[in-house]
Amino acid sequence: MSKASKSWAGAFLAAAVVGSLTATVIPAQAGTRAASAAHPPKAAAPVVVASGLHNPRGVTVQPDGSVLVAEAGSGPATPCTASPGAITRCLGFTGSLYRVKGSRQSRVVTGLPSELIYRTDGSSLVTGALRSEAGRNGAYRVVYGLSGLPADRAALGAGSGPLGTLSIARGKVLGDLAEHEARHDPDSVTGNNEVFSNPADFARDGRDFLVTDAGANDLIRVHPDGSTTTEFVFPNNVLPAAASAVRPLTPAGQAQAVPTGIVRGHDGAFYISDMSALRQGLGRVWRYVPGSSPTVFATGLTDVIDLALAPDGDLIALSYNTGTSTAPLPGALTRINKKTGALTPIDTGNRLTVPLGVAVGPRGDIYVTNNALGTSGELLKFPAR
């Protein structure tokens, strides 16, 4: 996975994008029709549900109606010192899970591992808890980012074990995605010659879990005994003839998939977004029925960082940027028709600035984590009309 060269490119997916590529658009795939963006449906003004969140990432609406936000935290209490021209990493325990239920809101879990990373260009980012959901007996399941391999994790010292895994918050590891990448490097078959893991999202499939790894470009199945298997590898996206990849670790003329959000549809299939290296219009949504080959369901998207399911079965895609790699623009919400894959923009009033998580409530309210860099993040609600 290629490493990001722009600090704005994101706190959520360290090394998940190629900041130096020129934006372009791929031809639409068969069966995908984009709705006219000239007059998108007018959205109600968003409500700030919570503020002062610490690098907020994924948001989940629980069966009881509560809203759960994973906070990656702020790294260590005393930040480490960056080394010029080198990647510097240090560990803290400022990650948490933030719960909103009606008028009551608070951090229900604190002290989760939070990694501060200084990149070679001097920019920094924080990774840690990226998505969570409530389990049994008051426990919470959490997927953690890493942006590296088990050796990078071990070098951080005691308490770093959950990074790069799906785990019970402050409990046992359910599946080690970083270890899976280190052992197997599944996307080497696509010509991506870097061993790198950065888990992004997860969904339940019976007793198993399916986890997207944005760094490894694959979907991993986590079994009840903690073992992992490669469900499938996302193919690189082929670029137009006029464009070419600039990273030597990716085949020329191709962009790595960078899978992000995953959600199960009303039809029982899983829908998975990919970012395809920050090129405008290049992002895809895949449809996957376990046991069969995945297919492209929708194209023409940009920088889709997360997916959610609307009550009517349509998909809601969150783009954390709608511009080019050198000229970022506000984030966006897009409705994807459940039958045709057609895209309809949702008017957000340009309110989204580095949004990184989306969820939809049972009445159609859309929740988005916004301003997701630093400790001034917020949870927005776009009320259903």
Side-chain angles (χ1 to χ4, degrees), residues 79-207:
C80 49
T81 302
S83 299
I87 295 177
T88 303
R89 314 166 76 112
C90 53
L91 181 68
F93 298 93
T94 54
S96 54
L97 304 181
Y98 195 97
R99 182 175 182 268
V100 178
K101 178 73 185 278
S103 61
R104 303 177 64 180
Q105 53 183 270
S106 64
R107 291 183 172 91
V108 292
V109 178
T110 59
L112 301 179
S114 176
E115 181 186 9
L116 173 62
I117 304 173
Y118 289 103
R119 291 174 286 194
T120 55
D121 63 358
S123 62
S124 65
L125 57 93
V126 172
T127 191
L130 301 183
R131 170 78 69 184
S132 61
E133 67 175 17
R136 296 180 179 178
N137 302 320
Y140 294 89
R141 289 179 284 267
V142 183
V143 68
Y144 294 86
L146 174 62
S147 301
L149 288 171
D152 301 304
R153 178 174 64 200
L156 291 168
S160 64
L163 296 174
T165 75
L166 175 66
S167 295
I168 300 297
R170 305 181 70 173
K172 72 174 184 177
V173 171
L174 300 177
D176 192 333
L177 294 314
E179 184 65 29
H180 184 92
E181 169 67 2
R183 287 179 179 272
H184 305 290
D185 187 21
D187 74 333
S188 63
V189 299
T190 64
N192 300 329
N193 298 315
E194 184 171 10
V195 186
F196 190 90
S197 176
N198 199 29
D201 200 359
F202 70 98
R204 179 178 283 279
D205 184 23
R207 298 181 62 205

Side-chain angles (χ1 to χ4, degrees), residues 250-270:
T250 304
Q254 299 183 24
Q256 294 183 36
V258 193
T260 51
I262 179 171
V263 65
R264 192 163 204 166
H266 287 170
D267 60 356
F270 291 92

Side-chain angles (χ1 to χ4, degrees), residues 22 36 127 139 174 273 284 382 384:
T22 303
S36 172
T127 191
L174 300 177
S273 56
R284 304 169 290 193
F382 290 88

Side-chain angles (χ1 to χ4, degrees), residues 26-75:
I26 61 170
Q29 305 225 2
T32 299
R33 296 180 175 87
S36 172
H39 301 288
K42 187 68 176 177
V47 175
V48 179
V49 176
S51 57
L53 301 179
H54 300 166
N55 284 283
R57 302 297 189 253
V59 53
T60 307
V61 177
Q62 302 296 309
D64 66 356
S66 63
V67 180
L68 192 64
V69 177
E71 295 179 281
S74 54

Side-chain angles (χ1 to χ4, degrees), residues 1 12-13 16 198-201 211-219 232-234 256-262 272-276 284 286 304-305:
M1 173 52 53
F12 175 63
L13 290 177
N198 199 29
D201 200 359
V211 185
T212 57
D213 193 322
N217 295 301
D218 53 20
L219 183 70
F232 69 86
V233 175
F234 292 86
Q256 294 183 36
V258 193
T260 51
I262 179 171
I272 305 161
S273 56
D274 79 32
M275 296 177 68
S276 288
R284 304 169 290 193
W286 296 81
V304 179
I305 198 74

